[in-house]
């Protein structure tokens, strides 16, 4: 491993990388930049946090992944749906949303009510599993969790996840309906995101405290739905012999249990380029 060569590439290419950390066998061994002082947008990495919340609720018996999403949405909202929409959504389970395997959702919810917008999307072929990446899937899981645990989802995550991981007052976003927006909108430090990676690396435990079951972590980080990127779990991406937490503009936490490695970096790089990833793989993973 040549972490300094990775840092040199960042500097020489003026990549907008805020900070990076590397963990070996669960221990922080390398760091660069601002890893603990400032919070930065993590965009869709928020979805992985929503997934962990689903796992905690699942462990507590408050939500069942094989049940229809309608079972966990506000009854008054469901009652306002057309018969056609209720029939379509009745076939969509929580697990289907976690795996992004529902066709028909646009990329993001819009309007004065994200919930009404999401539930009015015309869906075809709901019985067919096909990868369709959409913020609506994660948003609906977040709304379902709020009702399943009978508590504001942010407050639930604070008690069950953020406080045990020593993540202090993360920035987050709510939708126009007032729900925690489980698809995006969070800001964390590099070190905070690494803690999420460490939790998954250790099979759901952190500092010897069980936060989410090993069973759920195994399911969430395994390939549950194939896609062109190599596979998807429960709001977690397959990456080589491990998995990754991904944000929109190269916010990353790569977890490689067999190599005993975690690599985290937060950036803002909008160019559709693999240069930063290539540098990381070359200098940290030793790939050519």
């Amino acid at each position: 491993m040549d972490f300094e060569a990775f840092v040199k590439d960042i500097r020489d290419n003026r990549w907008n990388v805020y900070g990076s950390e590397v963990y070996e066998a669960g221990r922080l061994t390398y760091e660069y930049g601002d890893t603990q002082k400032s919070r930065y947008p993590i965009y869709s990495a928020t979805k992985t946090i929503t997934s962990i919340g689903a796992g905690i609720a699942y462990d507590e018996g408050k939500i069942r992944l094989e049940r229809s999403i309608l079972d966990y949405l506000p009854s008054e909202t469901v009652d306002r749906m057309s018969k056609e929409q209720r029939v379509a959504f009745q076939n969509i389970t929580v697990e289907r949303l976690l795996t992004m395997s529902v066709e028909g959702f646009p990329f993001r919810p819009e309007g004065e009510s994200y919930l009404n917008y999401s539930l009015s999307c015309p869906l075809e072929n709901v019985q067919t599993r096909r990868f369709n990446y959409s913020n609506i899937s994660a948003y609906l899981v977040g709304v379902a969790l709020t009702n399943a645990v009978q508590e504001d989802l942010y407050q639930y995550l604070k008690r069950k996840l953020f406080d045990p991981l020593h993540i202090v007052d993360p920035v987050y976003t709510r939708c126009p309906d007032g729900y925690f927006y489980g698809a995006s909108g969070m800001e964390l430090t590099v070190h905070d995101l690494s803690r999420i990676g460490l939790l998954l690396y250790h099979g759901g435990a952190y500092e010897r405290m069980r936060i989410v079951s090993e069973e759920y972590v195994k399911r969430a980080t395994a390939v549950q739905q194939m896609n062109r990127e190599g596979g998807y779990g429960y709001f977690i991406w397959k990456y080589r012999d491990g998995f990754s937490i991904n944000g929109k503009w190269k916010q990353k936490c790569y977890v490689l249990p067999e190599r005993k490695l975690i690599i985290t970096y937060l950036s803002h790089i909008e160019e559709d380029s693999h240069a930063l990833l290539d540098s990381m793989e070359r200098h940290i993973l030793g790939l050519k």
Side-chain angles (χ1 to χ4, degrees), residues 127-143:
Q127 302 286 2
T128 302
R129 294 181 67 113
R130 185 171 290 112
F131 189 71
N132 176 48
Y133 191 83
S134 170
N135 282 357
I136 289 176
S137 290
Y139 169 66
L140 287 176
V141 170
V143 176

Side-chain angles (χ1 to χ4, degrees), residues 2 27 48 93 100 120-121 191 196 209 254 267:
D2 191 345
R27 292 178 56 252
T48 301
T93 64
M100 297 283 187
S120 65
C121 293
H191 197 59
I196 300 295
M209 179 188 302
Y254 298 100
S267 329

Side-chain angles (χ1 to χ4, degrees), residues 37-48:
K37 182 179 179 181
S38 302
R39 301 182 185 95
Y40 300 99
I42 62 169
Y43 296 96
S44 286
T46 305
K47 294 179 176 69
T48 301

